[in-house]
Amino acid sequence: MATNNSLVPKADEIEMKHSQVIVIGAGPVGLFTALKLAKEGIEVTVVESEKQVLQSPRATTYMPIVLNEFEKIGIYDDIVKAGHKNQEGITFRKSNAQGGDVLAQLKMSFIPKDAAKYNFAGIHLGQQNVAEILLDHCTQQKTFKIVWGHRFAGIVQQEGQSPQVTVTCVGMAGEAFFTCDYLIGADGAGSSVRRSQCIPFEGFTWQDFRFVASNVKYDFEKHGGFTTANMIIDEEDWAVIARTGPGDAPWRVAFGVRTSVPESEILAQIAMHYERLLPGPRPLQYELVSANPYWAHQRVAKTFRVGRIVLCGDAAHSNNPIGGLGLTTGLLDAAALGNVMLRILKRGEPADALLDRYAKVRRDAWTQFTNPQSIDFKLRCHSMHPDVVAQRDGFFGMLNEDPSASVKMAVKMNELIEDEFELLPEKVNGHPPPVAT
């Protein structure tokens, strides 16, 4: 019996969609880079495996050095409106199980007027909210496109008279193909772009604790006098407790769970951890909004660049979240890479020299500053090693006994390091300043 051809769908047409730049990943780093380019008329397409902005608990804090970059691309006012200003600083406390006493405070209120551009420690706002603000600004640009629900699957670089990158992505309806002049991998620590290029992710994974990032609605101010950002110091019940936004926005409670606890039991133990961490009357009355257990790493890509493929943010480096340096470093990557791409695509400057410079400078920023600082911040929260204890006691003693210490640290946190890739590529680009946490 012959098939009725009218009942058979026509074969798909294979279309190669071209953009000057393709960004893999619609997190804050990828969208920040895309916005920086699209505002200057660069054709940029963002490809994201999820169907919307990822909503799981992640970063919450944006320091002055990042706020300065937000101003440059025109989202600062929206971030301030949506977020909560940390005008108090950072409070270091014992766990509630150990009495909850305040050990020391970095007081932003001590900062002299006009001593710094921002008279607060930063803006607290959930990472997903920042991504949504960035996306809203991106969609207002004529040269911006986003493709949801497509997973990066493969890439080929073609050299010659018309060099370009061909990208394969997979969605619900099958494969989609793209071409671009440059591809940016901003697809997180498990980056498929990085893995596709067989780039080693050097470093280590923490084996003492797994991290749990949870969002909870609870009145920490009323029940415990908590400030915007609090670090709980304890060998077992250490944590970071901080606002994720203004008003009744959930608070972030991030804590550690020993790796001996089976993954299937981690979420079931949240109530037990809250019992030891949260202040206030018992029985506790709170609303758990979300929770996400994960492994923490201290890893960096062996190289940030292979030809026309460039890594950015967590795709290039990953560190534990204590101190807030992960997304901070990633957004500074994006600021630098955005300027590099504009110099290449708009000014016609030599690509290899600029991309090599980006790859070296941003890798050095992570290895020399972000990595050792984030390790120190983690150990300060829980380690009982004599050297760490001595350093911690000295740090707290300085905050408690030297009125000028908070001033110096507050001013340091407010240092603004201009992006020298914009006009001075021969000099080393900025890196996150030390943070007193």
Side-chain angles (χ1 to χ4, degrees), residues 114-363:
D114 300 326
K117 182 174 183 179
Y118 304 97
N119 64 346
F120 49 91
I123 297 293
H124 285 238
L125 184 63
Q127 176 174 317
Q128 73 279 9
N129 301 111
V130 173
E132 287 165 353
I133 289 171
L134 283 162
L135 178 61
D136 179 62
H137 282 256
C138 282
T139 55
Q140 297 175 39
Q141 311 306 315
K142 293 181 180 179
T143 57
F144 171 84
K145 297 178 182 177
I146 188 162
V147 179
W148 297 104
H150 279 69
R151 175 176 51 83
F152 171 86
I155 192 168
V156 175
Q157 297 193 66
Q158 299 168 336
E159 297 300 335
Q161 292 185 342
S162 300
Q164 67 176 11
V165 178
T166 302
V167 183
T168 303
C169 297
V170 180
M172 289 294 293
E175 296 173 343
F177 297 90
F178 306 86
T179 61
C180 60
D181 300 320
Y182 296 94
L183 181 132
I184 296 172
D187 51 339
S191 171
S192 296
V193 174
R194 186 189 68 243
R195 290 168 176 170
S196 76
Q197 301 304 296
C198 299
I199 300 173
F201 208 30
E202 300 174 336
F204 65 88
T205 298
W206 290 98
Q207 298 294 327
D208 51 356
F209 290 96
R210 289 189 70 178
F211 283 66
V212 178
S214 65
N215 285 348
V216 60
K217 290 193 174 183
Y218 187 71
D219 196 338
F220 284 92
E221 290 182 342
K222 175 182 177 181
H223 295 309
F226 275 46
T227 55
T228 298
N230 308 267
M231 296 215 169
I232 310 302
I233 310 301
D234 192 278
E235 186 173 9
E236 291 294 329
D237 297 317
W238 57 270
V240 177
I241 300 177
R243 284 185 171 274
T244 67
D248 64 351
W251 285 64
R252 170 64 47 78
V253 179
F255 56 91
V257 174
R258 287 291 183 181
T259 53
S260 57
V261 176
E263 184 168 1
S264 60
E265 298 180 14
I266 291 176
L267 296 181
Q269 291 191 5
I270 288 178
M272 178 187 71
H273 286 279
Y274 278 9
E275 189 67 30
R276 300 182 64 81
L277 290 170
L278 272 58
R282 267 52 180 172
L284 289 169
Q285 299 291 325
Y286 58 82
E287 178 187 346
L288 178 62
V289 177
S290 57
N292 178 37
Y294 61 95
W295 293 93
H297 313 279
Q298 305 289 150
R299 295 187 180 276
V300 64
K302 189 176 183 66
T303 180
F304 284 17
R305 172 199 181 205
V306 177
R308 291 170 173 264
I309 303 168
V310 192
L311 301 179
C312 196
D314 282 358
H317 45 71
S318 179
N319 54 271
N320 82 79
I322 299 177
L325 293 182
L327 184 53
T328 296
T329 306
L331 288 168
L332 295 180
D333 290 348
L337 184 55
N339 284 339
V340 165
M341 286 295 173
L342 290 174
R343 294 181 63 169
I344 293 169
L345 295 170
K346 292 201 71 174
R347 303 183 189 178
E349 296 185 36
D352 286 340
L354 281 169
L355 291 174
D356 283 345
R357 186 63 177 164
Y358 162 82
K360 180 181 187 305
V361 167
R362 295 311 303 162
R363 192 177 192 278

Side-chain angles (χ1 to χ4, degrees), residues 74 82 88 98 101 122 132 154 189 272 331 360 381 411 417:
E88 304 103 333
Q98 298 298 324
D101 296 340
E132 287 165 353
M272 178 187 71
L331 288 168
K360 180 181 187 305
C381 278
V411 171
I417 303 175

